[in-house]
Amino acid sequence: MKAEPNENTRYPTAGIIIIGNEILSGKVEDSNSPYLCKELRFLGVDVKRLVTIPDEINVIGNHVFEYSQDYTWVFTTGGVGPTHDDVTIEGVAQGFDVEIEESEQMIQVLEDYYGDRLNDAHRRMAIIPHGAELLQLPSMRSPQLKFRNVFVFPGIPELVRNRFSSLKELFQSGKIYLRQIFLNTEEGYIADALDSTCSEFPELMLGSYPALWNKDYRVKLTLESRTETYLEQALEFLTSKIPEENIIRVE
């Protein structure tokens, strides 16, 4: 008998917005989105969309508002520093049609850090959208900005990792189980097996990834499910459709 997943369960989703002209121009390589995608997947959150956009207030506002309506959580990175192109806060505020304001809490954080060196440029980092929350993070000097379901991160990868690690228990949503099959054949020879597996197990997340120059295998198949029994039955079904001599190993 085939195991059935819980169709009544609604799982959390996420949208990721990478903000920065430096990413779009190729000056800086984005490492934040791969990190967030992997971490959210591990936590059981389905990342539905990922976009990289320029440092433009209207574009930021439109995307953040749209994503906020469509997904459980939204994560932005970039554009929260003290310079002219750091306009993410203004974009978020415009997208939700709220004012920006100077946070006394953030001013205190900046004064504690900069002391007499605090200037007007630094004070830009104390601006937040009206109604935003400032979440205190363990072992971190400055709090995390959250506006409704939007988490606004800086663009510096080390800071993104530190901040997300401090928050990730908020996003724990169950486990997504994974099995992998490594093959010595081409995708064209297993397409029918994949089609029949998807038909038999419609809730299975099945991926096929060719590796043209890999000496170990030619195709890697990934099978994922939130139900372990369902996954194992799908794995058994799929492997029965592939000639044994084409299967290098199953993990």
Side-chain angles (χ1 to χ4, degrees), residues 38-232:
K38 289 178 182 177
E39 289 294 312
L40 289 166
R41 189 70 170 179
F42 181 78
L43 294 168
V45 179
D46 288 329
V47 176
K48 293 297 187 182
R49 286 179 70 187
L50 164 64
V51 66
T52 302
I53 60 175
D55 297 300
E56 297 177 12
I57 292 175
N58 289 341
V59 177
I60 295 169
N62 291 338
H63 277 82
V64 170
F65 181 78
E66 177 189 348
Y67 277 40
S68 177
Q69 302 303 302
D70 291 344
Y71 309 120
T72 311
W73 294 300
V74 181
F75 302 91
T76 75
T77 72
V80 293
T83 58
H84 68 285
D85 56 351
D86 291 312
V87 294
T88 295
I89 299 302
E90 289 89 339
V92 172
Q94 179 171 298
F96 288 91
D97 194 24
V98 299
E99 299 294 325
I100 56 174
E101 59 190 22
E102 189 174 77
S103 163
E104 293 184 6
Q105 181 180 346
M106 282 302 302
I107 287 293
Q108 185 62 57
V109 169
L110 294 170
E111 287 178 344
D112 290 344
Y113 182 74
Y114 289 105
D116 294 339
R117 297 177 293 119
L118 182 67
N119 60 29
D120 289 342
H122 296 140
R123 294 180 73 97
R124 282 175 54 87
M125 294 187 288
I127 299 298
I128 64 174
H130 177 73
E133 300 177 61
L134 294 173
L135 308 178
Q136 199 61 48
L137 304 179
S139 304
M140 300 205 71
R141 182 179 67 253
S142 60
Q144 172 61 43
L145 176 63
K146 174 179 178 287
F147 184 81
R148 301 185 186 179
N149 63 336
V150 180
F151 291 81
V152 180
F153 289 125
I156 300 172
E158 292 79 9
L159 295 181
V160 173
R161 285 159 172 72
N162 290 340
R163 288 176 174 274
F164 187 86
S165 294
S166 297
L167 293 165
K168 64 182 182 180
E169 64 181 30
L170 299 176
F171 315 118
Q172 182 65 59
S173 307
K175 184 175 181 178
I176 297 177
Y177 296 94
L178 168 69
R179 297 298 299 272
Q180 300 180 104
I181 306 172
F182 296 86
L183 306 174
N184 62 8
T185 188
E186 299 176 7
E187 284 185 303
Y189 295 117
I190 59 169
D192 289 344
L194 300 180
D195 288 343
S196 60
T197 302
C198 289
S199 178
E200 185 72 12
F201 296 86
E203 299 301 319
L204 180 71
M205 294 170 276
L206 177 60
S208 177
Y209 309 103
L212 299 181
W213 294 280
N214 191 301
K215 296 180 180 179
D216 183 30
Y217 62 89
R218 300 185 69 179
V219 175
K220 177 174 72 173
L221 303 179
T222 63
L223 298 81
E224 295 174 285
S225 174
R226 293 178 182 273
T227 305
E228 188 172 16
T229 305
Y230 188 81
L231 175 63
E232 293 301 323

Side-chain angles (χ1 to χ4, degrees), residues 16-39:
I16 299 172
I17 303 173
I18 306 299
I19 301 168
N21 294 337
E22 69 277 13
I23 304 295
L24 292 170
S25 64
K27 297 185 183 76
V28 175
E29 183 176 353
D30 168 40
S31 62
N32 289 324
S33 59
Y35 168 78
L36 290 172
C37 286
K38 289 178 182 177
E39 289 294 312

